[in-house]
Amino acid sequence: MVKVDDVLYCDSGMWLPFLGEFETMKNAEACNDTMIENGLWDEDCQWDPGNGDKLVWPRGLLMVLYLFGMLWSFAGVGIVADCFMAGIETVTSATYKIKSGGQEVEVKVWNDTVANLTLMALGSSAPEIMLSVIGIMSTEYYAEELGPSTIVGSAAFNLLMIISYCISQIPEADGESETGIRRIADMSVFTITGFFSVFAYLWLLIILMVMTPNQVTVPEGILSFLFFPLVVGLAYGADRNWFKGDKISPNQHIIGIQGHEFRAHEAANLLKTAGKHADGNMNPEETAAFLTRMAMAQSKPSRAQHRINAMRQMTGGKRVVPKNVGKASDYVAKLPTADELEQTPECNFASGEYSVLESGGTITVSVVRLPAKGPFSVKYATEGVTATAGQDFEAVAGTLEFKDGEEEKEITVKIKDDDDVEDDETFLIKISEPSVGKIGPFGSTTVTIIDDDEPGEIGIKDKDAEVSVLEAEGKAVVFISRMNGSAGPIGCSYKCVPGTAVDGTNFKAVSGELTFEAGQISKKLDIPIIDTGAYEINASFTVELFDFKGPGERSKGFADHKTKCNVTIVHDAAAKEMVDNVTKMMNMNMEQYNVGSTSWAGQFQEALEIGCEDGETPGTSDYVMHYITLPWKLVFAIIPPTSIAGGWACFFCALVMTGITTIIIGDIAALFGCVYGLDKGTTAITFVALGTSLPDTFASASAAVGDDTADAAIGNVTGSNAVNVFLGLGLPWMIAAFKWSGSGPDDVWFEKYGVPMNSDGTKWKSGDSSVGVTWVAGKDKQGCELCAKEVDGVLDGKAVFIMPQGGLALSVITFCSCAMCCFALLYYRRSTCGGELGGPKGPAKAHSIILALLWLTYIVVSIMGNSGIISV
């Protein structure tokens, strides 16, 4: 701190906004020396009002102003980080379409685990990472305290306080959909990220205390950075089950599969299966909003959406996750009935296709109308295709009369038998002229008459040749048909041939003999499917028919029918087809929750609008926070919309803006610490770490409550902590190590880390003899006043990046100890409480307090280390 011409300055000439002329002081040491000489501060940077001249602004006012400045700058970096995350969300959501098993499927370009540990981690931790990178560059590649201490402080807050908060936020079990517990489902990925989230910090100690104390060499810098792709690769392999034998190709990240849309009565039947119905009093608008929430709960908001939503809740912005989305399972009991789904009555056949033996006598088909309210009538009639009315079947026509509450009626058609040998024949039954409403997409059904005068052929119908099955269904059903005859027994052999699906991992292969007895025209094979619990899967195998067995020359074997059925196993998403269908209906409502943007005009409009929770009016806090942060919102509205260049333009511009905002935070943090009498390390592990991590706290809590597992809430913490070190410290340390290795020591480097002196008392310079050289302490304030003396070959022109242990080493040791305790507690909770988060309220509260106390312990010990009270 220094006062020049009635203007107060602090470390490195950073300006305190007083009245008077602006004049910078570039040298931090000169600034501190002048501060002490003028008597404004004592040597520990503590305020001493009895010394020096009267300041223009009172210290109390400065403390308030810089506290507000810190909080305001945190809001700014949070807002620009959200723009950054929006670009990342757009980039990582990119998909492309491929053909798989005859179906068009949509495939993710990015694997979710890779996205979370790379771009998503960079987005959520951008302030901490940028603070470290820019900090090194701004000091001309000399070590600084703010960046590394912020990264370690954020890691402690993330692991201890965020998990502590999440444990206590899980609702109590309600006996229905809410279990009251969240358990990590994918332990393989968690094990890897959890290990590296501690190892990353142990690696700092190995470098700074064991291998090359207080130094970072080029190999150490490179290795620190290379750990980043290593942990990403290992986590990706765990996600793909490389270590379990269930290897899933990266290009098989199926997110959607073509299929027919549900009809109204099918949706109603699904609801009946669930045995639950929703409130029938909702109007169409309420139903649309409800279905939107259901669709979003089914899809699970991404990490970016959770973080952006948390930040916008804090700053009065537009929400991107509906309030109380909850878990997908919450909506099984709340789906609206057919009355809400269908405002216009609709009539359909229950099935689009029926089959009957020629000797069967009759065929009965069902007609369904919804909703079943009031009287209803519809006409029906038969129509020949290859079957002839009067010869193969008796034509019928008439009117079906439904009473109030009656949902289903039947139509019976008589089938005529003959002794002629003929191919299978078909006719149609159609419905028309409903008394109210409309005819649905299944207004006609096809009836196939199977000839039973010949033994016939065996094969797989075109419609049965491609089967998709959800993993959780437990089995795949393959239909084998007998065509053009049903006289006498015939049969064949069958077997399962693995493809991308692995026998014993994805399914259990079956084989054997298949026999059609006289009159039988259809058989089904049940193939067990193994639920691997994988988040994504698209694996396939084939069922093949071979070795036909029939009565001599009359049998035509397989003829030209298909003998192979392709079975595709897809990831389980409860009621996926139903949710896909209602999501299409809700597209207009869903747009309001989009993370991205399509135009600059829209971004400025959104920046000016005050947001709030659904169905509510903005409160006082929304207005206050909106207007406080409005300047930031308007500035960052100039970032390109996510619709440009697939989100990459937004990504890079937001990255630049984040860097600029981080520079502001670095300056204000130094000023803040100086006014409050705090060293940079203490400021970093407390205020800066807390400010940059707060949005992640609410985002993780939202993910914990909304998801069925603890993977998102805890996995994001461990993954980010590991990436922060390898990327946030590995990258700048590697750059600084290369810089000093290439340039060698200069006068400033020697002045800082130790001055070599010749035996005659003059300063040593390049070319002088190294014999009899003594060392004078440099001006470094982090405990490395003589570190240059320990550098091998320093007098031969070799230099390294000096990274003083200082209080950082004690901070890292304390964090690693607390982290071990945290993981031990999580393991204990998994064993005794059933999961890492939630559980009985008593233990959950106690465990939350334990983690909070561990964080306080870390803070206290680290502050004592920074103050020199404790050292290692």
Side-chain angles (χ1 to χ4, degrees):
M1 183 73 62
V2 63
K3 185 178 179 185
V4 179
D5 296 332
D6 290 329
V7 182
L8 194 64
Y9 301 87
C10 189
D11 289 352
S12 302
M14 291 176 289
W15 176 46
L16 289 173
F18 299 140
L19 301 175
E21 299 291 331
F22 177 76
E23 182 177 340
T24 60
M25 295 186 65
K26 299 295 184 182
N27 187 282
E29 286 75 17
C31 180
N32 290 331
D33 292 344
T34 307
M35 166 194 76
I36 297 169
E37 290 171 5
N38 289 351
L40 296 177
W41 301 80
D42 62 27
E43 292 188 5
D44 294 325
C45 203
Q46 300 297 318
W47 185 259
D48 186 356
N51 297 337
D53 299 329
K54 181 179 179 181
L55 292 173
V56 177
W57 286 6
R59 182 194 179 204
L61 178 59
L62 291 178
M63 295 174 73
V64 172
L65 288 176
Y66 281 114
L67 177 60
F68 176 81
M70 282 276 287
L71 297 176
W72 192 66
S73 62
F74 289 148
V77 80
I79 292 171
V80 72
D82 290 347
C83 299
F84 193 29
M85 292 292 279
I88 292 170
E89 175 78 354
T90 302
V91 170
T92 57
S93 297
T95 62
Y96 63 96
K97 293 182 179 180
I98 63 172
K99 287 284 187 178
S100 177
Q103 301 182 74
E104 189 176 67
V105 297
E106 200 171 355
V107 178
K108 274 189 175 182
V109 175
W110 283 78
N111 170 270
D112 285 336
T113 297
V114 173
N116 276 336
L117 290 177
T118 53
L119 295 184
M120 287 294 182
L122 179 61
S124 64
S125 300
E128 298 98 312
I129 294 174
M130 294 295 287
L131 195 63
S132 179
V133 174
I134 293 174
I136 286 286
M137 297 174 67
S138 65
T139 57
E140 300 182 355
Y141 304 99
Y142 288 100
E144 55 87 33
E145 293 181 77
L146 201 61
S149 295
T150 297
I151 285 180
V152 180
S154 294
F157 185 88
N158 291 346
L159 186 65
L160 302 174
M161 290 304 294
I162 289 182
I163 294 180
S164 170
Y165 185 65
C166 290
I167 288 176
S168 63
Q169 290 301 299
I170 307 301
E172 294 186 38
D174 58 10
E176 296 183 3
S177 61
E178 178 55 65
T179 62
I181 195 77
R182 301 291 185 272
R183 184 181 177 93
I184 295 175
D186 194 343
M187 284 297 294
S188 56
V189 173
F190 169 74
T191 300
I192 291 173
T193 58
F195 168 78
F196 278 102
S197 70
V198 176
F199 171 77
Y201 298 87
L202 291 174
W203 173 247
L204 298 183
L205 297 178
I206 293 172
I207 291 177
L208 299 181
M209 299 184 69
V210 179
M211 294 174 63
T212 53
N214 298 310
Q215 302 175 21
V216 179
T217 63
V218 170
E220 291 168 346
I222 294 175
L223 190 55
S224 298
F225 180 71
L226 290 182
F227 276 126
F228 169 58
L230 175 64
V231 68
V232 172
L234 289 175
Y236 173 78
D239 178 64
R240 295 291 87 195
N241 284 337
W242 287 354
F243 313 122
K244 293 184 177 180
D246 180 16
K247 299 179 181 179
I248 304 172
S249 174
N251 67 347
Q252 299 300 315
H253 297 178
I254 304 302
I255 64 172
I257 297 181
Q258 284 183 335
H260 77 280
E261 292 186 0
F262 273 99
R263 292 171 285 160
H265 74 276
E266 288 178 308
N269 288 337
L270 180 61
L271 295 175
K272 288 180 181 179
T273 302
K276 302 288 184 180
H277 296 277
D279 181 5
N281 297 320
M282 290 190 296
N283 60 37
E285 291 77 14
E286 292 170 333
T287 301
F290 180 82
L291 293 180
T292 301
R293 289 174 174 78
M294 181 198 69
M296 291 202 71
Q298 186 66 45
S299 63
K300 290 187 179 181
S302 68
R303 179 178 179 181
Q305 287 174 302
H306 278 306
R307 194 186 190 286
I308 292 173
N309 199 66
M311 194 64 211
R312 293 189 179 183
Q313 285 177 321
M314 297 167 62
T315 59
K318 187 195 82 170
R319 310 305 195 256
V320 294
V321 176
K323 183 180 181 182
N324 297 328
V325 168
K327 308 189 303 300
S329 57
D330 292 340
Y331 294 93
V332 173
K334 299 178 182 178
L335 286 170
T337 63
D339 293 343
E340 285 72 44
L341 283 173
E342 293 295 318
Q343 301 301 314
T344 302
E346 184 176 291
C347 189
N348 290 280
F349 281 99
S351 176
E353 184 177 356
Y354 290 87
S355 297
V356 60
L357 284 174
E358 189 178 50
S359 58
T362 60
I363 178 68
T364 299
V365 301
S366 297
V367 177
V368 180
R369 63 93 176 225
L370 283 175
K373 291 183 177 180
F376 175 81
S377 64
V378 65
K379 293 184 178 180
Y380 67 91
T382 55
E383 178 183 307
V385 181
T386 57
T388 304
Q391 180 178 333
D392 299 306
F393 68 95
E394 288 188 1
V396 295
T399 302
L400 297 176
E401 299 286 349
F402 292 80
K403 298 178 181 178
D404 183 24
E406 194 173 13
E407 183 178 290
E408 187 173 327
K409 283 285 189 180
E410 294 181 344
I411 301 172
T412 300
V413 180
K414 185 175 181 180
I415 305 300
K416 294 190 174 184
D417 191 12
D418 58 41
D419 295 327
D420 297 333
V421 176
E422 54 193 352
D423 291 335
D424 297 344
E425 298 173 312
T426 61
F427 66 93
L428 301 176
I429 306 176
K430 296 183 176 181
I431 52 176
S432 61
E433 301 181 30
S435 57
V436 293
K438 64 179 182 179
I439 300 297
F442 287 75
S444 66
T445 187
T446 301
V447 179
T448 301
I449 304 173
I450 307 296
D451 180 62
D452 55 5
D453 299 309
E454 287 289 314
E457 306 138 8
I458 296 177
I460 300 172
K461 294 182 178 179
D462 288 343
K463 70 181 183 67
D464 298 324
E466 295 289 341
V467 175
S468 293
V469 58
L470 295 176
E471 233 189 1
E473 288 182 3
K475 67 177 180 180
V477 179
V478 177
F479 288 96
I480 314 299
S481 299
R482 182 180 191 173
M483 294 160 278
N484 299 324
S486 60
I490 58 175
C492 68
S493 300
Y494 63 90
K495 65 180 179 180
C496 294
V497 179
T500 55
V502 180
D503 180 19
T505 299
N506 302 110
F507 73 102
K508 295 180 180 179
V510 296
S511 61
E513 302 289 330
L514 194 66
T515 301
F516 290 83
E517 299 297 339
Q520 286 186 321
I521 59 174
S522 181
K523 288 279 189 178
K524 70 173 184 176
L525 298 177
D526 291 339
I527 300 141
I529 301 298
I530 300 171
D531 189 353
T532 64
Y535 180 75
E536 303 168 8
I537 186 172
N538 176 253
S540 61
F541 64 94
T542 303
V543 177
E544 294 185 3
L545 306 180
F546 63 99
D547 193 16
F548 177 87
K549 299 177 180 65
E553 295 181 356
R554 294 182 61 198
S555 298
K556 298 180 181 180
F558 298 114
D560 57 353
H561 303 299
K562 291 184 177 180
T563 58
K564 295 182 179 181
C565 172
N566 186 66
V567 180
T568 302
I569 307 170
V570 298
H571 72 282
D572 180 28
K576 179 179 184 295
E577 294 86 354
M578 178 64 177
V579 174
D580 287 343
N581 189 42
V582 298
T583 301
K584 292 176 184 177
M585 298 164 52
M586 297 296 104
N587 277 340
M588 292 300 293
N589 274 351
M590 292 288 281
E591 287 180 2
Q592 66 178 304
Y593 300 115
N594 285 345
V595 169
S597 55
T598 58
S599 68
W600 271 288
Q603 290 184 167
F604 278 100
Q605 180 180 355
E606 182 179 310
L608 293 170
E609 290 178 350
I610 302 175
C612 61
E613 301 291 358
D614 301 326
E616 300 179 2
T617 57
T620 302
S621 61
D622 291 316
Y623 279 100
V624 171
M625 293 306 300
H626 170 72
Y627 287 113
I628 288 176
T629 57
L630 182 59
W632 288 120
K633 294 178 181 179
L634 292 175
V635 169
F636 298 138
I638 67 174
I639 293 173
T642 56
S643 58
I644 297 178
W648 285 108
C650 174
F651 174 88
F652 287 112
C653 289
L655 184 62
V656 172
M657 288 289 193
T658 303
I660 294 173
T661 312
T662 301
I663 293 174
I664 297 174
I665 286 182
D667 283 358
I668 294 181
L671 296 170
F672 173 86
C674 201
V675 171
Y676 276 79
L678 302 174
D679 58 83
K680 287 185 178 180
T682 299
T683 303
I685 65 171
T686 52
F687 294 97
V688 180
L690 180 63
T692 55
S693 299
L694 203 56
D696 290 319
T697 304
F698 299 114
S700 292
S702 176
V705 173
D707 288 355
D708 295 312
T709 69
D711 294 72
I714 298 179
N716 290 342
V717 168
T718 56
S720 292
N721 281 1
V723 170
N724 282 358
V725 170
F726 299 141
L727 190 58
L729 293 182
L731 179 60
W733 286 7
M734 180 179 68
I735 295 172
F738 271 113
K739 190 271 180 191
W740 289 113
S741 175
S743 67
D746 55 20
D747 290 341
V748 177
W749 190 87
F750 278 125
E751 289 290 337
K752 190 174 182 68
Y753 300 122
V755 182
M757 304 295 292
N758 292 316
S759 57
D760 60 3
T762 60
K763 282 187 179 180
W764 180 91
K765 60 181 182 297
S766 180
D768 291 347
S769 172
S770 60
V771 177
V773 169
T774 58
W775 291 85
V776 176
K779 295 183 178 181
D780 181 67
K781 303 298 182 182
Q782 302 179 54
C784 259
E785 297 87 349
L786 288 172
C787 283
K789 181 180 178 182
E790 306 302 325
V791 177
D792 292 336
V794 65
L795 297 181
D796 296 325
K798 297 181 180 179
V800 296
F801 171 55
I802 300 295
M803 183 63 222
Q805 299 175 17
L808 181 64
L810 181 62
S811 179
V812 172
I813 291 173
T814 307
F815 165 71
C816 291
S817 301
C818 292
M820 296 293 189
C821 294
C822 175
F823 284 118
L825 180 61
L826 291 178
Y827 177 79
Y828 173 79
R829 287 185 53 78
R830 185 179 181 89
S831 303
T832 60
C833 301
E836 290 78 7
L837 305 179
K841 285 300 177 184
K845 184 176 181 180
H847 297 156
S848 293
I849 293 174
I850 290 174
L851 291 180
L853 291 176
L854 284 174
W855 181 72
L856 289 176
T857 300
Y858 162 78
I859 293 296
V860 171
V861 174
S862 297
I863 291 175
M864 294 175 71
N866 291 329
S867 302
I869 299 174
I870 302 177
S871 61
V872 292

